[in-house]
Amino acid sequence: MEIDKTESRIPLHKLEKQILGVLREKDGLNFADIGAKAQIKVDQVRRAIEWLKTKGLVDEQRINESIIELLEAGKSASRNGLPERRLLNFLRERGGKAELTEISSKVLSSDETSAAIGISRTSKWIEVRKENGHAFVHLKGEPLATPEEELISTLSSPRRLATLTNKERMAYSSLAKRPGFILEVASKEVKIKLSKEGQSILIEEGSGINVTAPPPIIYSGRKHPLQIFMDEVKEIFVSLGFEEIVGPLVQSAFWNFDALFTPQDHPAREIQDTFYLRDSTIASPASPDLLDTVASVHQNGGATGSRGWGYKWNKDLTSRVVMRTHTTAVTVKYLADKTPEEARVFSVGRVFRNEKVTFKNLVEFHQIEGITVGSRVTLRDIMGLLSKFYERLGLKRVKFWPSFFPYTEPSLQSMVYNEKLSKWVELCGMGIFRPEVTRPLGVKNPVLAWGGGLERLVMLRYGLDDVRYLYENDLEWLRSVPLCP
Ligand code: PHE
């Protein structure tokens, strides 16, 4: 499956956009510089850089750097001047000449004095001469600001060594030789650079972000396609005047089979077709009266006019507990409970069959099922109803075919043409409930009944050719299923 290109589009926070805007003007800035340019707090810069990093839009470069800063003597020099400058100033105030002992006692400390004298002599700013056994210092010339003085004046806050000019570098190395003036500290500088990706999302012109870039696809939570379809099916039946009924997944064999006139030796009842709950029984699945009536209907037709199945009905088999094999168990229980003269009800639910799982069979699946009860209903009515239902689902080519179920007479099967597979697909079973089913329950009017698998319809809707796919939770597919096909 092709990966959607727009998936790489990255949503950006306002702060991130601001920072990208700054980096586009000047790449490779540190946090403080970015903060200053974007006018946001360094803390916020830091946070937004983290986001940008995880999105792969910027890279962090850690550079080992030397920072230079003033030590005590350096700080005092920046306030009062270097010792040599103070020496020269003093000499000038004294008319160009002073005794050495006076200098070292009044103006400078003895360390400062020897340094100041040494430097000033080699620079030829002074001369030291002996007069009457006393050493006198004579001023010969005063320099304008020296490189050392200039450097010190720029060091009110620490500077990166790398930013020093050549001249400053020389001043730095001479100052570094003098103890207590200057300190070099190793520091790690972090610089933020746009990554390739970062560069590419900034457009060439204009000052902003590429506003024409497609937005990211947001996968919000949504219902499973099967659930969406189930809701749609319910909607259709409700709109056709039906009411929903529900019943338990676990049933007695009585309601799943016997009440539906399914003979006790019917293959569907075999263990390989039906899931029985081990060691469970339901003591009285129905009233003793109903059990007796159903017994006689199975054996000889009872009062229904039928001849029944002609076997000895075994009451014990009715108490066995099964996972319902069809929703018809819900339908027939509804008829027994309500004995309606008229009704339109439907149910949608899970059913279980002990079958081999294949591309078209599951052991657990869903059925839709319904009945119409009324004095004047005919087989044509269900055909019309189901045609309508399929039409609402967009299935236009429908045909009906004779079929067989133990509980309906006549019985039909509906088929729908699958355009994609170019073949007819069986969908619902239907028919009119036999008197053997309705009479014992006390239902007098004809009951039109129909029911069938839901997954088959879902497969037609989404063009699937394997029913197992519906339960695979393939996220790619789940996300791509259109909400309005
Ligand atoms: N119960 C049948 C099945 O599971 C369908 C059906 C329902 C047939 C109602 C007739 C009447 O296939």
Side-chain angles (χ1 to χ4, degrees):
M1 189 165 282
E2 202 196 337
I3 306 257
D4 196 320
K5 306 225 171 27
T6 57
E7 214 157 14
S8 64
R9 297 292 161 190
I10 300 157
L12 294 174
H13 186 268
K14 188 169 147 247
L15 288 174
E16 294 175 297
K17 290 183 189 174
Q18 281 174 288
I19 289 174
L20 288 178
V22 166
L23 291 175
R24 132 188 249 282
E25 298 303 323
K26 192 173 191 303
D27 208 359
L29 294 174
N30 63 24
F31 293 118
D33 293 343
I34 293 172
K37 286 197 196 272
Q39 301 197 322
I40 45 186
K41 289 192 192 122
V42 177
D43 268 356
Q44 289 181 309
V45 174
R46 247 177 247 286
R47 210 174 316 141
I49 293 287
E50 281 309 311
W51 304 333
L52 288 167
K53 263 166 45 188
T54 46
K55 290 171 187 173
L57 298 178
V58 300
D59 295 321
E60 210 176 78
Q61 283 187 337
R62 288 178 179 273
I63 303 163
N64 288 325
E65 275 217 314
S66 292
I67 301 287
I68 55 170
E69 58 185 49
L70 293 177
L71 290 172
E72 242 355 279
K75 284 179 191 160
S76 126
S78 94
R79 286 189 303 268
N80 313 316
L82 280 165
E84 53 271 32
R85 178 63 67 187
R86 280 151 61 204
L87 169 68
L88 301 178
N89 288 346
F90 179 71
L91 291 173
R92 188 174 6 91
E93 281 161 24
R94 285 302 174 92
K97 174 184 169 186
E99 202 186 336
L100 187 55
T101 50
E102 195 191 356
I103 292 166
S104 64
S105 62
K106 285 194 186 155
V107 187
L108 301 167
S109 71
S110 63
D111 280 353
E112 287 176 327
T113 309
S114 49
I117 297 283
I119 288 164
S120 302
R121 273 172 83 175
T122 39
S123 305
K124 306 226 179 341
W125 299 325
I126 57 162
E127 257 177 24
V128 182
R129 282 188 239 130
K130 279 231 155 110
E131 289 165 31
N132 308 324
H134 295 282
F136 280 89
V137 183
H138 294 263
L139 181 63
K140 290 185 66 197
E142 279 178 84
L144 297 171
T146 66
E148 287 80 3
E149 286 173 321
E150 279 172 358
L151 177 61
I152 286 174
S153 72
T154 69
L155 282 171
S156 51
S157 55
R159 281 181 68 186
R160 284 153 50 213
L161 190 58
T163 65
L164 264 51
T165 63
N166 278 345
K167 195 172 152 201
E168 286 175 328
R169 245 165 223 280
M170 283 165 61
Y172 164 71
S173 44
S174 87
L175 267 180
K177 287 186 197 124
R178 298 168 69 168
F181 276 87
I182 213 158
L183 179 70
E184 179 184 331
V185 268
S187 119
K188 284 202 197 309
E189 167 88 336
V190 177
K191 290 199 163 169
I192 306 304
K193 295 202 75 124
L194 286 170
S195 68
K196 280 243 158 56
E197 178 98 4
Q199 279 162 351
S200 70
I201 77 158
L202 292 167
I203 48 167
E204 303 293 75
E205 285 140 314
S207 57
I209 300 298
N210 184 0
V211 291
T212 62
I217 295 178
I218 293 166
Y219 297 110
S220 55
R222 57 186 287 186
K223 284 183 182 171
H224 192 281
L226 199 65
Q227 186 62 52
I228 295 174
F229 191 84
M230 246 190 281
D231 292 346
E232 193 180 326
V233 163
K234 290 183 184 182
E235 201 67 52
I236 293 172
F237 280 111
V238 168
S239 80
L240 291 171
F242 283 76
E243 232 179 280
E244 189 180 354
I245 56 171
V246 288
L249 300 179
V250 173
Q251 299 275 350
S252 64
F254 180 81
W255 291 110
N256 197 78
F257 297 120
D258 295 283
L260 284 161
F261 196 52
T262 306
Q264 293 191 322
D265 61 357
H266 193 279
R269 290 196 176 211
E270 296 292 320
I271 201 99
Q272 61 268 23
D273 292 294
T274 300
F275 290 112
Y276 287 90
L277 264 60
R278 195 197 293 153
D279 305 330
S280 311
T281 50
I282 292 174
S284 40
S287 70
D289 274 359
L290 184 55
L291 289 175
D292 282 351
T293 317
V294 168
S296 62
V297 169
H298 274 245
Q299 286 170 174
N300 54 39
T304 62
S306 160
R307 277 188 277 155
W309 296 114
Y311 66 85
K312 177 93 185 79
W313 190 74
N314 180 352
K315 193 176 155 212
D316 292 343
L317 295 183
T318 67
S319 334
R320 298 172 77 185
V321 184
V322 305
M323 299 301 290
R324 69 182 183 201
T325 61
H326 53 185
T327 41
T328 318
V330 178
T331 303
V332 74
K333 184 71 171 37
Y334 165 83
L335 288 174
D337 290 345
K338 304 278 173 184
T339 57
E341 276 176 33
E342 291 199 340
R344 285 165 168 241
V345 296
F346 75 98
S347 66
V348 182
R350 200 167 272 233
V351 298
F352 306 84
R353 288 188 192 171
N354 196 358
E355 283 174 358
K356 198 168 145 38
V357 173
T358 67
F359 71 95
K360 57 175 187 173
N361 280 324
L362 293 169
V363 290
E364 248 183 275
F365 59 101
H366 295 83
Q367 281 193 330
I368 349 160
E369 160 117 11
I371 48 168
T372 306
V373 188
S375 55
R376 299 222 296 265
V377 294
T378 69
L379 201 63
R380 284 246 151 243
D381 292 315
I382 344 176
M383 290 160 73
L385 173 74
L386 286 184
S387 302
K388 189 100 214 144
F389 169 63
Y390 292 137
E391 192 191 304
R392 294 263 184 108
L393 292 175
L395 303 166
K396 299 247 159 69
R397 288 178 73 184
V398 181
K399 68 181 178 185
F400 297 89
W401 211 251
S403 186
F404 173 81
F405 299 99
Y407 33 93
T408 49
E409 181 59 36
S411 304
L412 296 178
Q413 189 72 45
S414 61
M415 319 253 265
V416 169
Y417 193 71
N418 183 343
E419 308 285 344
K420 210 179 154 200
L421 303 176
S422 308
K423 68 175 197 197
W424 290 91
V425 189
E426 281 184 13
L427 287 180
C428 267
M430 72 197 79
I432 302 179
F433 273 148
R434 298 172 74 123
E436 289 95 327
V437 175
T438 50
R439 292 279 171 77
L441 307 175
V443 175
K444 305 216 169 55
N445 281 337
V447 178
L448 311 178
W450 44 268
L454 183 93
E455 278 81 352
R456 291 244 174 124
L457 287 168
V458 180
M459 286 166 77
L460 284 173
R461 157 68 55 90
Y462 296 113
L464 303 179
D465 49 19
D466 191 328
V467 66
R468 290 170 289 198
Y469 198 65
L470 283 172
Y471 293 91
E472 254 169 35
N473 290 330
D474 174 349
L475 274 185
E476 193 108 28
W477 178 69
L478 292 175
R479 286 169 166 173
S480 69
V481 170
L483 286 175
C484 307

